[in-house]
């Protein structure tokens, strides 16, 4: 048991357990410092050397970083590789063919093991099937699939033939799916009849059908349907085919398509502060390098480990730490179809015990929900399960409050497992600021220090680094291999969003605030500095939700803000003005429900506002600007103490405060 020690600035520090450090890939602070110094002394050489070590190249690259068209940076561009070859074939060549790559546990508890050989055979069959359907290198393929081995196989199959995949999370609505299909110009969609979550069958194919009738999706020639449940779904003749049928006809050998390191491996849509979701474009070489090196160093993955990342493949975490990273380093991982609360809130603990999971990576929201469940029902408390296989824990997606961190450390990690609190983003491709578990003493709530080679800094609005202990804006001063390459089809928006003129266009702007500890220099992320909300670790743009609200025929105007929530981190709070008199009582309740469902239908259930408040108007300045700052105060249930003299209609604040 490693106990915490008092430290002058922060309440507690957890030293690296000796036993952990002894065998860790990066086993001391000195080893970490040495890696950072290497990167500092020869930045390109450092990454080039890792790229040779972690990635197998069909044609070696001769140049590391190309900055000639900044901020459109290129890495290892004349090198050629294939991501699927790196994740499958080379492991088999190294003798891991019969090693379990994936332990799949279905929603109903059924378990299936897939060896590297078996996985390669499936990937090759599907890759051949895609080719037979006319999919070519560079074509975009949208995947709208359950959390499944088939999802991983579909991603790998696209990579194998050089098609660019774009996974859309199965919780997004037909409208959201349509927008992404259109923006990506996808030629093919792979989906399933239904997905199983928590004992319920939810439609997927029906939503694809709806999306394709909404218009703008003429680029789609085929829909491949995996029969997950055998649900009876209508098939469109000439367009829809069954996955099993198209695969059965194909050989299980498919030579990989060698692509340039800069070839787009995938697009993944994420929310920004304005406008529609943006298609974050990732490379093949730099992305795969970072997926592999972070899986090995941050998770200290070893040949005997059983790794489990609970993220869905619909999010970037499920890309880097399910579909690519663990396979790229020849690991064994658990893939789980279901939800943490079915059949009860002990599902995770039971699965860790059953599969002897040694490295467990999940989101703070899940931990908080499971704490609550364990506290109210002894039967689902983790103490009833044998979690002794665990040696490392991780969190991602949102800040973890120290109380949840302590519980996770004590009740799940038995006080012996370090916790890696990994800060990163869809755009960064992999971990940016994170403990290396054999090198860094831990402070609950801090993601500690940058991954070696990542030049993260906290700066003021002029781009000058602020002293430790002072809050500021998080930037990355040097380009890194797995960074976003572009916003699909919108280079201007890419520049404006990530390389704004404020910092001379030189620094990558993460969109988060941060502060470094006065003594240790450890980073703590203080939250988004733009109009992006983080609800249960899911990123939502306030403007997207507002647009969805005003698309309802009764809504005249809407403003959306976040407010702190014990369980979900942030909760969505909407202020709405109707085209008819402000509703109260039962009518207000009914309308709020209708609007919630409307947002669910427009974007997806994750975007449904928790609170909806109706007003005669919104607080505006005399020039008509909505004062969101004040709405945030009202949303929290606090009294506005700020000066409201610039408001056109100060009285509206009282009305909104009461209309809950
Ligand atoms: C935003 C990115 C990282 C993959 C999943 C989310 C927040 C992420 C942490 C963390 C505090 C975090 C940031 C970031 N975030 N990880 N460890 N501590 N905040 O990816 O959907 O692109 O969201 O999530 O605000 O900007 P994403």
């Amino acid at each position: 048991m490693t106990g915490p020690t008092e430290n002058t600035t922060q309440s507690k520090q957890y030293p690296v357990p000796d036993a952990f450090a002894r065998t860790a890939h990066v086993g001391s602070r000195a080893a970490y410092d040495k890696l950072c110094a290497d990167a500092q002394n020869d930045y390109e050489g450092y990454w080039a050397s890792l790229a040779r070590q972690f990635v197998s190249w069909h044609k070696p690259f001769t140049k590391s970083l190309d900055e000639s068209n900044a901020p459109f940076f290129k890495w290892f561009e004349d090198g050629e590789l294939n991501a699927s070859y790196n994740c499958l074939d080379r492991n088999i060549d190294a003798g891991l063919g019969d090693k379990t790559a994936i332990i799949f546990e279905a929603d109903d508890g059924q378990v299936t093991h897939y060896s590297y050989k078996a996985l390669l055979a499936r990937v090759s069959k599907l890759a051949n099937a895609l080719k037979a359907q006319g999919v070519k290198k560079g074509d975009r393929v949208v995947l709208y699939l359950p959390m499944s081995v088939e999802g991983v196989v579909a991603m790998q199959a696209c990579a194998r033939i050089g098609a660019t995949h774009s996974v859309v999370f199965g919780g997004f609505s037909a409208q959201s799916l349509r927008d992404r299909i259109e923006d990506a110009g996808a030629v093919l969609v792979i989906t399933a009849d239904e997905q199983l979550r928590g004992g319920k069958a939810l439609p997927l194919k029906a939503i694809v059908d709806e999306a394709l009738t909404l218009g703008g999706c003429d680029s789609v020639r085929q829909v491949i349907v995996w029969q997950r449940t055998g649900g009876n779904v209508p098939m469109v003749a000439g367009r829809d085919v069954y996955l099993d049928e198209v695969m059965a006809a194909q050989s299980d050998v498919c030579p990989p398509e060698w692509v340039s390191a800069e070839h787009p491996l995938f697009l993944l849509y994420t929310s920004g502060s304005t406008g529609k979701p943006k298609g974050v474009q990732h490379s093949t070489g730099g992305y795969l390098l970072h997926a592999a090196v972070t899986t090995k160093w941050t998770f200290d993955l070893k040949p005997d480990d059983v790794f489990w990342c609970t993220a869905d493949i619909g999010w970037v975490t499920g890309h880097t730490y399910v579909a690519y990273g663990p396979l790229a380093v020849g690991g064994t991982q658990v893939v789980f179809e279901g939800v943490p609360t079915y059949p009860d809130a002990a599902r995770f603990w039971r699965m860790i015990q059953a599969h002897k999971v040694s490295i467990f990576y999940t989101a703070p929201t899940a931990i908080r929900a499971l704490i609550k469940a364990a506290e109210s029902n002894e039967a689902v408390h983790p103490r009833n399960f044998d979690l002794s296989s665990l040696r490392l824990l991780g969190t991602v997606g949102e800040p973890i409050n120290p109380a949840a961190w302590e519980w996770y450390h004590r009740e799940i990690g038995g006080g012996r497992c370090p916790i890696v609190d990994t800060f990163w983003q869809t755009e960064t491709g992999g971990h940016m600021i994170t403990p290396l578990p054999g090198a860094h003493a831990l402070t609950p709530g801090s993601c500690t220090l940058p991954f070696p080679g990542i030049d993260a800094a906290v700066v003021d609005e002029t781009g000058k680094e602020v002293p430790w202990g002072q809050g500021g804006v998080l930037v990355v001063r040097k380009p890194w291999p797995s960074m976003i390459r572009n916003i699909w089809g919108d280079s201007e928006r890419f520049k404006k969003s990530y390389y704004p003129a404020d910092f001379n266009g030189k620094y990558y702007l993460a969109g988060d605030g941060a502060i470094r500890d006065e003594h240790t220099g450890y980073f703590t992320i203080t939250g988004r500095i733009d109009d992006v909300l983080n609800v249960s670790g899911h990123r939502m743009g306030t403007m997207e939700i507002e647009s969805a609200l005003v698309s309802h025929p009764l809504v005249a105007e809407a403003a959306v803000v976040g407010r702190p929530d014990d369980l979900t981190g942030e909760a969505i709070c909407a202020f709405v003005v109707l085209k008819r008199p402000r509703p109260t009582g039962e009518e207000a309740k009914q309308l709020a429900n209708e609007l919630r469902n409307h947002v669910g239908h427009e974007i997806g259930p994750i975007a449904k506002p928790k609170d909806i408040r109706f007003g005669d108007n919104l607080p505006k300045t005399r020039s008509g600007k909505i004062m969101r700052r004040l709405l945030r105060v009202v949303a929290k249930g606090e009294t506005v103490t700020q000066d409201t003299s610039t408001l056109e209609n100060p009285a509206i604040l009282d009305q909104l405060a009461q209309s809950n």
Side-chain angles (χ1 to χ4, degrees), residues 270 315-317 395-400 421-427 433 447 510-512 525 527-528 534 537-539:
T270 190
W315 311 110
V316 74
T317 310
T395 73
V396 60
E398 51 182 324
I400 178 160
D421 175 353
T422 60
F423 167 82
W424 59 296
Q425 308 175 295
T426 304
E427 293 88 340
I433 308 180
C447 50
D512 284 286
I525 306 298
R528 298 288 308 192
N534 191 326
H538 297 148
R539 209 161 131 177

Side-chain angles (χ1 to χ4, degrees), residues 159-388:
R160 194 150 190 97
I161 63 168
T164 300
H165 60 70
S166 185
V167 185
V168 177
F169 175 61
F172 278 118
S173 68
Q175 185 64 46
S176 297
L177 176 61
R178 188 217 76 91
D179 291 349
R180 287 156 174 79
I181 291 172
E182 183 185 39
D183 192 80
V187 300
L188 190 141
V189 178
I190 307 180
T191 189
D193 47 5
E194 297 177 303
Q195 59 180 332
L196 284 173
R197 287 170 67 80
K200 285 201 262 313
L202 306 162
L204 286 175
K205 169 65 162 61
I207 294 173
V208 172
D209 288 341
E210 190 188 338
L212 295 182
T213 55
L214 289 172
C217 299
D218 296 344
S219 55
V220 175
R221 299 189 301 254
Q222 253 107 35
V223 177
I224 297 183
V225 184
W226 170 45
Q227 288 167 288
R228 169 63 187 97
T229 62
N232 188 17
V233 292
M235 299 288 277
V236 176
R239 188 196 74 185
D240 302 350
V241 286
Y242 287 116
L243 180 84
D244 285 350
E245 280 174 23
V246 291
M247 275 175 70
Q250 297 298 331
S251 148
D252 58 6
V253 177
C254 174
E257 176 84 30
W258 306 112
V259 300
S260 152
E262 281 298 316
H263 184 72
L265 179 63
F266 66 88
L267 310 180
L268 184 58
Y269 285 82
T270 190
S271 296
S273 48
T274 56
K276 282 192 174 178
K278 35 198 185 185
V280 172
Q281 178 187 326
H282 275 289
S283 70
T284 303
Y287 171 79
L288 195 72
L289 162 61
H290 207 63
V293 69
T294 51
T295 302
K296 192 149 175 182
W297 290 359
T298 309
F299 295 124
D300 192 46
L301 199 92
K302 307 262 177 48
D304 293 337
D305 276 313
V306 177
F307 176 75
W308 182 17
C309 164
T310 67
D312 191 282
I313 50 164
W315 311 110
V316 74
T317 310
H319 281 58
T320 309
Y321 301 110
V322 177
Y324 291 106
L327 300 176
V329 298
T332 295
Q333 69 173 318
V334 173
V335 170
F336 175 44
E337 180 179 42
V339 297
T341 48
Y342 177 82
D344 61 29
R347 183 69 182 262
F348 278 2
W349 322 138
R350 208 173 286 119
M351 281 180 66
I352 290 170
Q353 171 177 281
H355 304 303
K356 302 207 166 19
V357 172
S358 56
I359 306 170
F360 180 64
Y361 190 38
T362 196
T365 292
I367 298 167
R368 287 192 294 262
L370 297 176
I371 293 175
K372 214 174 145 193
E375 281 172 354
S376 61
N377 176 8
E378 171 58 28
V380 299
H381 198 285
R383 71 168 72 98
N384 300 309
F385 300 87
D386 177 6
L387 306 180
S388 60

